[in-house]
Amino acid sequence: MDHYIDIRLRPDPDFAPAMLMGALYNKLHRALFDLQAEDVGISFPGHKHGVRARTLGDHLRLHGTQTRLQQLMSAGWLTGMRDHTQVSEVLPVPAGAQHINVARKQFNTGSPSRAKRYAKRHDISEDEAQQIYAKLAERRIELPFVQINSRSTQQRFSLFIEHGKPTASATEGTFSHYGLSPNATVPWF
């Protein structure tokens, strides 16, 4: 995690930044899956959270070694996005950078099938389970997300992303094919 690449979305009057970020992230996920990359992390330096302002922003940062990032960029995964993005060179991480965990968060939004399973598991009526889940569904989710298609399952879902608190030291670990990790950190600057 000693190098990075910045990818910034260019303003486009025809497409909202969230739509472009979704397309960019889907392409990145497919590339990481195809490379079976577990050593490339991501962060969103311009992300915002909050019920009314949650967004990943217009800036995606890739983290990894110089060799791995060069291999990723030579895979041609940005085809079709070049007109919408500005991509930096592979650059060294600035000295003194902090570190941050960027992880996937999953929420129970109370789908009918979940309520049905909950009712069966806890031996209660489906109406009771739906009332329990209705309270959970009312909870407001403040994290930014992106709609993504899983390369392995072909399922489309909302991928909620949480940036942890910056720390002085790095934590080693592996990353998913979404560039996220439950415990590993990426440089934060």
Side-chain angles (χ1 to χ4, degrees):
M1 295 289 153
D2 55 355
H3 282 75
Y4 73 98
I5 296 173
D6 276 341
I7 303 175
R8 295 178 189 271
L9 297 176
R10 292 185 168 138
D12 189 315
D14 297 328
F15 300 104
M19 178 183 276
L20 291 174
M21 184 57 77
L24 177 67
Y25 200 4
N26 273 285
K27 285 181 171 284
L28 174 64
H29 166 59
R30 287 193 295 270
L32 293 175
F33 181 87
D34 291 346
L35 288 173
Q36 292 298 300
E38 295 181 340
D39 55 352
V40 176
I42 64 167
S43 64
F44 298 90
H47 78 280
K48 293 180 182 170
H49 59 86
V51 174
R52 295 179 187 222
R54 59 185 179 167
T55 175
L56 292 173
D58 61 357
H59 183 185
L60 170 66
R61 182 170 286 157
L62 301 173
H63 303 272
T65 63
Q66 182 175 21
T67 303
R68 191 58 155 167
L69 292 175
Q70 288 171 337
Q71 181 186 20
L72 174 64
M73 296 312 286
S74 67
W77 65 276
L78 276 173
T79 301
M81 290 298 296
R82 292 274 180 199
D83 290 344
H84 301 287
T85 57
Q86 183 176 12
V87 182
S88 77
E89 299 294 320
V90 178
L91 300 166
V93 171
Q98 291 190 307
H99 302 273
I100 193 170
N101 172 255
V102 184
R104 174 183 182 184
K105 285 292 185 185
Q106 292 181 280
F107 296 95
N108 186 344
T109 56
S111 70
S113 61
R114 279 182 175 254
K116 191 174 182 177
R117 287 193 305 268
Y118 185 86
K120 190 179 275 186
R121 199 171 45 244
H122 294 280
D123 196 28
I124 60 175
S125 72
E126 287 186 33
D127 286 340
E128 288 177 274
Q130 286 178 353
Q131 288 175 1
I132 292 169
Y133 275 88
K135 290 178 184 174
L136 293 173
E138 288 177 3
R139 184 183 60 204
R140 296 180 174 205
I141 299 170
E142 297 184 354
L143 295 177
F145 69 97
V146 64
Q147 290 288 320
I148 199 155
N149 296 316
S150 169
R151 182 75 163 181
S152 60
T153 66
Q154 309 303 317
Q155 297 288 318
R156 184 168 176 81
F157 65 96
S158 296
L159 178 65
F160 292 91
I161 299 173
E162 182 176 58
H163 288 68
K165 295 188 180 199
T167 61
S169 61
T171 301
E172 300 294 324
T174 58
F175 294 85
S176 69
H177 296 145
Y178 299 104
L180 306 172
S181 174
N183 47 27
T185 59
V186 295
W188 183 251
F189 49 93

